[in-house]
Amino acid sequence: MLRLATLTSLLALAAAAAMAEDIKVGVSPGEHAEIMEEVAKVAAPMGLNIDVVEFSDYVIPNTALADGDIEANSFQHVPYLDNQMKDRGFDLVVVGTTITTPMGIYSDKIDDLATLDDGAKVAIPNDPTNGGRALLLLQDLGLVTLTEGTGLVPSPLDIAENPKGLKFLELDAAQLPRTLADADIAIINTNYAIASGLSPKDDAIAMEKAENPYVNVIVVRKGDEDQPWVKTLVDAYHSDEVKAFIDNSYQGAVITSW
């Protein structure tokens, strides 16, 4: 009887393995990669094997998805996705929300924005949505005033008032932590801050409000949104296990959307 039960269990496991589906999910370094590794652990017993593929910038993951090199990605917020689809013609769709990662201001030179010198160098991301997000943060902090009606994607050209005469350095988002030796302040996305060893909680001298339009999302190619593996991926991400991992690992620097 024991042998028969053991054989039955082995056959069930073999059948589950045979039915398992393999997908590749593109992520950016830092918390997106770390969280997706946890999602993969939850998804495996559900019949979904996730190969987590890291990309070093914000452009390639959507290109890789559109080209069919990966099945999904998890690294971006909706304003960035919308801008990418408009500019590059991608046919992609959101299938679930993930986390919010408030953007932070970091500096090796000052501990308080009140001491920021006139003419200070400010490093911001060079892509339209994250660069605009950085400028909106500076406006919220009273350092600049943007031209009315610029929406979520202002550029330095849309600055109407700049009382301190701040000078802007627009750089690839992944390179911003390296600018701290030269720039007076750098406005850095949380994933790149964490990946470079910065702590949003301990090292940022100012943070974006948690309530903002920049919730991150899981994205697939249009036409795949009703595939069974998509539901499994989203369910695994929204599991209690993954939420606990995020809350324990990031202590409020990364906020779940569910």
Side-chain angles (χ1 to χ4, degrees):
M1 182 68 72
L2 181 59
R3 289 180 180 177
L4 179 59
T6 302
L7 179 60
T8 301
S9 298
L10 289 173
L11 288 174
L13 288 172
M19 294 173 60
E21 190 151 9
D22 299 333
I23 65 168
K24 294 180 180 180
V25 179
V27 296
S28 53
E31 77 278 8
H32 286 293
E34 294 163 0
I35 294 168
M36 192 54 66
E37 293 288 355
E38 292 300 312
V39 174
K41 294 176 186 177
V42 175
M46 300 166 70
L48 183 64
N49 298 321
I50 299 174
D51 181 9
V52 182
V53 182
E54 286 193 39
F55 294 93
S56 61
D57 69 19
Y58 282 157
V59 176
I60 300 176
N62 282 328
T63 302
L65 179 57
D67 290 346
D69 297 326
I70 57 178
E71 280 67 49
N73 66 43
S74 176
F75 76 101
Q76 64 193 320
H77 48 65
V78 171
Y80 182 80
L81 173 64
D82 288 346
N83 188 72
Q84 284 266 294
M85 290 197 294
K86 178 182 176 182
D87 287 352
R88 298 172 182 267
F90 297 140
D91 203 7
L92 308 175
V93 62
V94 173
V95 294
T97 61
T98 59
I99 56 174
T100 301
T101 54
M103 184 176 267
I105 299 180
Y106 300 83
S107 177
D108 282 349
K109 298 179 173 61
I110 62 171
D111 296 321
D112 189 334
L113 285 174
T115 65
L116 188 64
D117 289 336
D118 290 351
K121 295 178 182 178
V122 180
I124 65 172
N126 64 1
D127 65 89
T129 49
N130 286 300
R133 183 179 179 182
L135 293 175
L136 288 166
L137 174 55
L138 291 176
Q139 178 170 253
D140 287 343
L141 294 169
L143 290 170
V144 299
T145 301
L146 300 170
T147 303
E148 191 172 348
T150 55
L152 295 177
V153 288
S155 77
L157 296 176
D158 297 310
I159 296 175
E161 297 179 20
N162 183 4
K164 284 184 172 287
L166 302 178
K167 298 175 182 177
F168 291 91
L169 309 174
E170 297 177 86
L171 303 167
D172 183 82
Q175 305 303 316
L176 288 172
R178 302 179 189 175
T179 68
L180 290 174
D182 301 313
D184 294 286
I185 60 173
I187 306 179
I188 306 174
N189 295 81
T190 292
N191 59 309
Y192 290 124
I194 291 174
S196 68
L198 293 168
S199 166
K201 181 180 179 181
D202 298 328
D203 298 324
I205 60 175
M207 290 291 289
E208 188 177 47
K209 295 176 182 176
E211 298 77 20
N212 62 65
Y214 301 103
V215 62
N216 288 277
V217 290
I218 299 171
V219 179
V220 302
R221 286 183 296 278
K222 190 171 184 180
D224 282 349
E225 59 266 36
D226 294 324
Q227 293 290 331
W229 61 262
V230 172
K231 183 178 187 304
T232 304
L233 172 60
V234 175
D235 286 348
Y237 204 115
H238 289 180
S239 65
D240 291 341
E241 296 93 329
V242 171
K243 183 174 178 59
F245 170 80
I246 293 170
D247 291 344
N248 293 333
S249 299
Y250 305 110
Q251 299 294 312
V254 176
I255 302 165
T256 58
S257 66
W258 70 96

